[in-house]
Amino acid sequence: ARSRGTAYGCSKLIFFSVKRPADDIIPGSQRRQQKKKMVKVYCLLFVPVISALSAGSSRSLRKNIKMPDPVPPAGVAGAVRAMESGRLFRYNVASKEASEVSKVEKEFADFTGHKFALGLNSCGSAIFLMLKCAGVNFGDEVLTNGFTFTAVPSAIVHAGAKPVYVETTPGYIVDVGDLEKKIDAHPNCKYFVVSHMRGKIAAMDDIKALCEAKGVLLLEDCAHSLGVLWNGGHTGHHGAMAAFSSQSYKMLNSGEGGFFVTDDDFAHAKAMAYAGAYEVLADKHECRPCDAALAEAMDGSIPNFSLRMHEATAAMLRPQILTIEKRRAEYNERYYRIADQLRALPGVSVEEQLPEVTIVGDSVQFNVEAAALGADLDEGANAFLAKCEARGLPVERFGAATNARNFKNWKYASQPLCGLPVTADIIARAFDVRLPLLFDEEDFEVMLEIISDSLAEVAAGDLAVKEAEVAYAR
């Protein structure tokens, strides 16, 4: 397969001859058994193809990998109607039935299976409100992932509390053993915000049992896990409250936005008050808690932080909820093929999620063995990133000195005394690539070619970067 056309033909033939069904219809245990058989096929057939693609002149990615899912026409039309009416404030309506925010709250709650949902201006606000509604006071300690996005510990600091970080595993989920150690080492810490970073779900049944046994209130950051299932049900049900996101790179895209969800009337009433439902405005919520909860929350003791979602945001989101399951299937069909191709590369691993989990494969994370990055890990990793960038593929390294997911960069809070050595080692070799829904198969072929070539060059000691003109919009 010396010619590029022949290489492409081989790659496509192999692609479809080994393609497996979407994750949504394969139970976790059966999927794992099937994968063991499939890996042998990829190792035998696809590695030579990757080599063939690497021969000759190198290709660059010509599309922007930051491309989010578009707002569907119905969402655009709804947002335009809201703007044309001038009624963008969620409560500037005659009734709850006329409010886009009220309607999207009910539709979102119905989708995730929660009793209540509250539309907010961001997921960070939702995490903040979870903490306030849970009773977190100034100076309290709150447990959370040592590997997550900076918005999570930032929300803890916003609530006046102090983050206590828990080690992660190579699969980017909380280490339950370390969680127990941290709970025991911090006996006054009564809250745990578990973050489903990049949609990776920890052993939630074990975590819930541990928290209940230790008297710790469990809260869930589901910013990245909308559409992800645990034993067939949506995330956000192990904790007393949960927070979801509609920031651009999530399964719902309104640029900024989020939802607070719970099954507890009193927690929801408090969240409404904190978000800005004053006087009789609670009556303009379809997700309305009981009168007793509202009477307690609306007595003037809760400050109004004005964190409300507006009407145009809600109008954009409503039709997107209807397509989450369809998009999950599309993402997952591609994800498993790409993950297997990455696993075929020397020194690369892609961790599987727990068998209880149905994923949303809108991005892929892979670990690289230190030896594959050379004698100086940072130098090798930075060279790999630079080589990919020069060919139009921005790859994130979770442990990079500038990455907002690296706990060492959260200088607004105290650094962990232990230094989180396990997490530090994992994220130093962990890389992250988005898989945009609007990309074509050839785009993913180019992405894999770039990753393969760049890793091979670094492993061979070639750290020089050949700058190339890139046509995508940065």
Side-chain angles (χ1 to χ4, degrees):
R2 290 184 178 180
S3 72
R4 305 194 71 81
T6 304
Y8 292 165
C10 290
S11 72
K12 289 180 179 177
L13 174 63
I14 294 167
F15 239 131
F16 295 109
S17 65
V18 299
K19 186 173 71 174
R20 68 176 123 190
D23 174 49
D24 295 77
I25 59 174
I26 303 178
S29 57
Q30 182 180 341
R31 187 170 69 244
R32 294 167 75 92
Q33 293 174 355
Q34 184 187 55
K35 173 185 169 295
K36 292 178 181 179
K37 298 178 182 178
M38 298 291 292
V39 167
K40 294 181 180 179
V41 177
Y42 274 105
C43 289
L44 290 172
L45 298 179
F46 201 84
V47 173
V49 175
I50 292 175
S51 300
L53 287 173
S54 300
S57 60
S58 60
R59 295 185 292 170
S60 294
L61 188 64
R62 299 292 172 178
K63 291 181 181 176
N64 187 353
I65 202 165
K66 296 290 186 180
M67 182 187 298
D69 291 359
V71 176
V76 174
V80 169
R81 284 195 300 272
M83 289 187 284
E84 288 177 341
S85 74
R87 297 180 182 274
L88 297 175
F89 180 46
R90 68 165 295 168
Y91 296 124
N92 189 12
V93 291
S95 67
K96 61 186 179 184
E97 291 82 8
S99 167
E100 291 290 325
V101 179
S102 178
K103 287 187 279 191
V104 79
E105 288 170 343
K106 181 64 167 62
E107 290 161 1
F108 188 85
D110 288 345
F111 179 77
T112 62
H114 289 89
K115 185 177 180 181
F116 302 110
L118 179 66
L120 299 167
N121 59 2
S122 73
C123 183
S125 293
I127 298 171
F128 170 67
L129 290 192
M130 285 198 304
L131 296 165
K132 298 299 293 183
C133 294
V136 171
N137 293 312
F138 184 82
D140 285 350
E141 292 182 323
V142 177
L143 291 153
T144 194
N145 304 46
F147 170 65
T148 184
F149 185 60
T150 185
V152 179
S154 293
I156 293 171
V157 171
H158 188 193
K162 301 175 182 178
V164 175
Y165 303 118
V166 181
E167 293 274 26
T168 191
T169 73
Y172 319 113
I173 58 176
V174 162
D175 183 321
V176 180
D178 190 60
L179 173 62
E180 185 170 12
K181 291 178 183 177
K182 295 291 170 60
I183 292 174
D184 291 340
H186 298 265
N188 295 323
C189 185
K190 298 301 179 185
Y191 311 96
F192 175 40
V193 179
V194 62
S195 178
H196 305 313
M197 181 63 179
R198 286 294 187 267
K200 313 298 186 185
I201 313 301
M204 291 306 297
D205 294 343
D206 294 341
I207 289 174
K208 182 176 181 179
L210 175 62
C211 288
E212 289 178 348
K214 299 286 187 177
V216 172
L217 184 65
L218 179 60
L219 308 169
E220 291 185 64
D221 163 36
C222 301
H224 292 198
S225 65
L226 181 60
V228 177
L229 306 179
W230 177 272
N231 283 330
H234 286 281
T235 56
H237 289 278
H238 285 85
M241 293 165 263
F244 287 87
S245 175
S246 63
Q247 187 266 352
S248 279
Y249 302 131
K250 309 300 189 299
M251 288 295 281
L252 294 180
N253 174 20
S254 60
E256 292 287 356
F259 292 92
F260 167 100
V261 297
T262 186
D263 293 329
D264 184 90
D265 284 68
F266 288 84
H268 188 62
K270 289 180 181 178
M272 289 169 58
Y274 279 122
Y278 51 87
E279 298 171 350
V280 296
L281 296 180
D283 291 337
K284 295 185 178 180
H285 285 252
E286 288 203 43
C287 293
R288 185 186 186 280
C290 65
D291 290 341
L294 286 173
E296 181 178 302
M298 303 295 176
D299 65 355
S301 61
I302 292 178
N304 176 346
F305 292 129
S306 296
L307 305 175
R308 298 170 291 257
M309 180 180 285
H310 68 74
E311 289 287 278
T313 295
M316 292 181 215
L317 293 175
R318 291 184 62 205
Q320 295 181 52
I321 295 173
L322 302 175
T323 67
I324 290 174
E325 293 179 350
K326 177 179 180 292
R327 286 182 285 133
R328 178 180 65 207
E330 293 178 23
Y331 274 124
N332 290 355
E333 189 278 329
R334 299 180 322 186
Y335 172 89
Y336 284 111
R337 289 188 283 111
I338 292 169
D340 281 339
Q341 293 163 47
L342 285 170
R343 289 188 184 101
L345 301 179
V348 174
S349 62
V350 180
E351 297 290 322
E352 280 202 272
Q353 289 221 46
L354 297 176
E356 297 90 341
V357 179
T358 298
I359 73 164
V360 172
D362 57 349
S363 64
V364 63
Q365 294 72 43
F366 56 97
N367 299 323
V368 179
E369 294 175 2
L373 296 171
D376 187 320
L377 190 149
D378 285 333
E379 185 180 28
N382 289 336
F384 167 64
L385 296 179
K387 287 174 179 289
C388 291
E389 175 74 19
R391 291 174 60 181
L393 177 62
V395 176
E396 298 282 349
R397 180 191 179 203
F398 288 137
T402 57
N403 198 302
R405 298 146 199 88
N406 184 348
F407 67 89
K408 295 179 181 179
N409 295 324
W410 304 338
K411 298 177 182 178
Y412 46 78
S414 298
Q415 287 288 298
L417 295 177
C418 67
L420 293 179
V422 176
T423 299
D425 176 63
I426 291 168
I427 65 175
R429 301 177 290 103
F431 299 91
D432 180 37
V433 179
R434 296 193 71 248
L435 304 175
L437 191 67
L438 297 183
F439 270 29
D440 299 318
E441 290 300 335
E442 185 177 1
D443 300 318
F444 294 116
E445 291 175 8
V446 174
M447 287 170 57
L448 287 160
E449 180 182 338
I450 293 170
I451 292 171
S452 174
D453 290 351
S454 300
L455 282 175
E457 290 170 8
V458 170
D462 176 8
L463 305 185
V465 178
K466 300 174 183 177
E467 293 294 338
E469 181 181 353
V470 177
Y472 76 91
R474 294 180 184 274

